[in-house]
Amino acid sequence: MTLDKRLGQRFLPYGANYLDWSDMTELREVIDQRVLFRYQTEGESMASRLERHVARRLGARHALAVHNGTEALRLALVSTRPRVGDLVFVPAVTFVAVAGAVLASGLIPVLVDTDESLSLDPALLPPDARRVVVAHMEGTVGPVPEGVPFVIEDCAQSLGARLPDGRHAGTAGYAGTFSFHHNKVLTSGEGGLVVTGDDEAWARMRGYHDHGSARVPGRYPTWDQDAHFGENFVTSEGVAAIQSQQFRHLDALLAGLERMYAIAVEALPDRPGLEALPRAAGDVKVSLRFRWESRELRDAAVAGLTDRGIANWTLGKYFLPEHPVLTGRRSLYADGFPWSLAPDTALVLSRDGFARTRDLLDRTLCVPLSPELSEPDQVLAVKAIRQALEAV
């Protein structure tokens, strides 16, 4: 599709624009070997190669590939050896998979209100908090709480981001999780990764993700006398191959986002009622974030951008205090597990009942950037975005 028809719209998710048959050397290698299960390869599996590369690229001690980002969250949570019904503090603004992973692990999510960046506000956490999930949403690096034994960084939307101290997002806490869903920074349709610097945690994750076994490649799984039960989260060689191809383009993708963001910052309109929210140096610049003076102006901007064919989205879908999975406390288990273990009181931490957060969400608008475009085409795309915003 040509730019004049796209008008700045991100036609495909970021990594999908870098998928090309001529570039799929890892996938061709896997197909040529005719082995798609990672533990049946004669030499090092593609999944192991991927994990080794990811650990080196992100500065993590260990990496483990799994089916998807939700499983990565579950694996990280279960590896903390919780008791059923334990509380897990999660952001009030994030995708429902975070709460779903907590509940699927037999634990209870407590919604924590956000700061101005819509990231979990650590100041609201109780001093005895033991498990906290921090979600780095939309490429924005949120604060990582200190003094909490098990901080899990959900980096599903922020692969390649860096914390203020230079460390990669996902490596500051107990574990970091990543997603390769279609709409993420890199994609294999589905797919996930978990990283950790804790040797014992990694051993627990590795066993649990393969039926609790101690797997030796090329052999039937074995279980020692200390084995615990597990599940099957093992990735396939084909998915690992596509993820490996995607990782080869990560630096180019991040650079393309940075370039278009810099162009946009210089060219966007300075008009009353509109604030372009700044991004930190370590953020992944997946989108431009705007905050309007009112919801009416925001909605008018949505209509104007949409009419011009320019992709955009709002963030109300991430507001968990109003999500039916949380408000209904329903379960497929006949006894309501794990909600049956939850206290009857409201499982929320907020200074004002989320009033400020609702207001921020109602006035926020995101417009994606297009890293695969050449610089001249990025300039044209930003011009189209500017014209749409000026017309509001």
Side-chain angles (χ1 to χ4, degrees):
M1 181 174 287
T2 59
L3 182 68
D4 63 329
K5 294 180 180 178
R6 287 176 56 181
L7 292 175
Q9 179 175 356
R10 179 168 59 94
F11 180 55
L12 288 171
Y14 310 103
N17 287 286
Y18 296 84
L19 291 170
D20 189 278
W21 277 116
S22 64
D23 190 42
M24 307 302 290
T25 55
E26 294 88 355
L27 184 58
R28 287 200 300 272
E29 179 182 338
V30 166
I31 298 301
D32 286 344
Q33 290 181 350
R34 299 175 184 270
V35 176
L36 298 179
F37 182 53
R38 71 170 296 178
Y39 292 122
Q40 288 300 123
T41 60
E42 292 185 3
E44 184 183 35
S45 69
M46 187 62 68
S48 293
R49 282 164 53 182
L50 169 70
E51 291 163 351
R52 185 160 46 82
H53 174 73
V54 168
R56 184 172 63 250
R57 176 67 172 77
L58 300 183
R61 189 172 179 85
H62 301 288
L64 185 66
V66 294
H67 289 153
N68 55 59
T70 308
E71 285 183 0
L73 284 167
R74 280 194 60 205
L75 197 56
L77 287 164
V78 170
S79 74
T80 68
R81 305 198 67 178
R83 296 179 184 274
V84 290
D86 276 354
L87 302 181
V88 181
F89 298 90
V90 305
V93 178
T94 189
F95 185 53
V96 71
V98 173
V102 171
L103 291 162
S105 302
L107 309 174
I108 306 300
V110 178
L111 302 183
V112 182
D113 212 343
T114 63
D115 58 18
E116 286 291 321
S117 72
L118 297 175
S119 301
L120 180 143
D121 186 351
L124 293 173
L125 293 171
D128 61 347
R130 289 188 55 77
R131 293 173 181 84
V132 177
V133 178
V134 174
H136 301 305
M137 294 289 289
E138 301 269 336
T140 298
V141 178
V144 178
E146 297 181 359
V148 177
F150 303 111
V151 176
I152 298 170
E153 295 177 75
D154 176 8
C155 307
Q157 299 182 8
S158 58
L159 176 61
R162 288 183 180 269
L163 299 160
D165 62 8
R167 288 178 295 175
H168 277 278
T171 65
Y174 169 78
T177 63
F178 299 85
S179 171
F180 291 84
H181 181 267
H182 185 62
N183 287 323
K184 299 304 186 289
V185 176
L186 300 179
T187 183
S188 51
E190 282 288 4
L193 282 163
V194 57
V195 301
T196 184
D198 187 315
D199 294 345
E200 293 184 0
W202 179 79
R204 289 193 292 269
M205 293 179 195
R206 186 176 182 274
Y208 189 91
H209 106 295
D210 188 23
H211 306 286
S213 73
R215 174 78 74 164
V216 176
R219 298 185 181 180
Y220 192 75
T222 59
W223 293 265
D224 58 32
Q225 294 304 308
D226 295 323
H228 47 70
F229 71 86
E231 300 179 73
N232 180 9
F233 294 167
V234 178
T235 193
S236 73
E237 289 289 89
V239 171
I242 295 173
Q243 291 172 357
S244 295
Q245 183 269 352
Q246 289 278 279
F247 259 98
R248 286 197 281 107
H249 294 278
L250 178 59
D251 288 334
L253 190 156
L254 295 175
L257 289 171
E258 288 283 350
R259 184 178 64 237
M260 190 170 180
Y261 179 77
I263 293 169
V265 167
E266 294 297 324
L268 289 175
D270 181 11
R271 53 157 290 172
L274 174 63
E275 177 189 6
L277 301 180
R279 283 192 172 274
D283 289 355
V284 178
K285 314 301 193 298
V286 295
S287 66
L288 300 169
R289 273 188 167 188
F290 300 101
R291 190 157 291 155
W292 293 84
E293 188 176 54
S294 67
R295 177 167 183 167
E296 290 73 22
L297 280 173
R298 194 280 308 272
D299 290 346
V302 168
L305 289 164
T306 303
D307 287 346
R308 293 169 181 254
I310 300 175
N312 64 90
W313 57 74
T314 57
L315 302 177
K317 59 192 175 186
Y318 295 133
F319 188 52
L320 294 189
E322 295 178 354
H323 197 290
V325 166
L326 281 301
T327 59
R329 292 197 180 190
R330 299 179 63 205
S331 169
L332 288 178
Y333 288 91
D335 65 353
F337 176 84
W339 288 118
S340 55
L341 303 173
D344 293 331
T345 55
L347 298 169
V348 298
L349 295 175
S350 175
R351 295 184 179 91
D352 60 3
F354 303 105
R356 178 185 56 87
T357 299
R358 283 192 188 90
D359 175 63
L360 293 177
L361 290 171
D362 282 347
R363 296 187 290 112
T364 302
L365 170 65
C366 299
V367 179
L369 301 179
S370 301
E372 77 285 358
L373 295 180
S374 66
E375 184 171 352
D377 282 347
Q378 287 182 334
V379 171
L380 291 176
V382 168
K383 181 179 179 181
I385 296 169
R386 174 178 181 137
Q387 290 172 343
L389 297 178
E390 287 177 333
V392 174

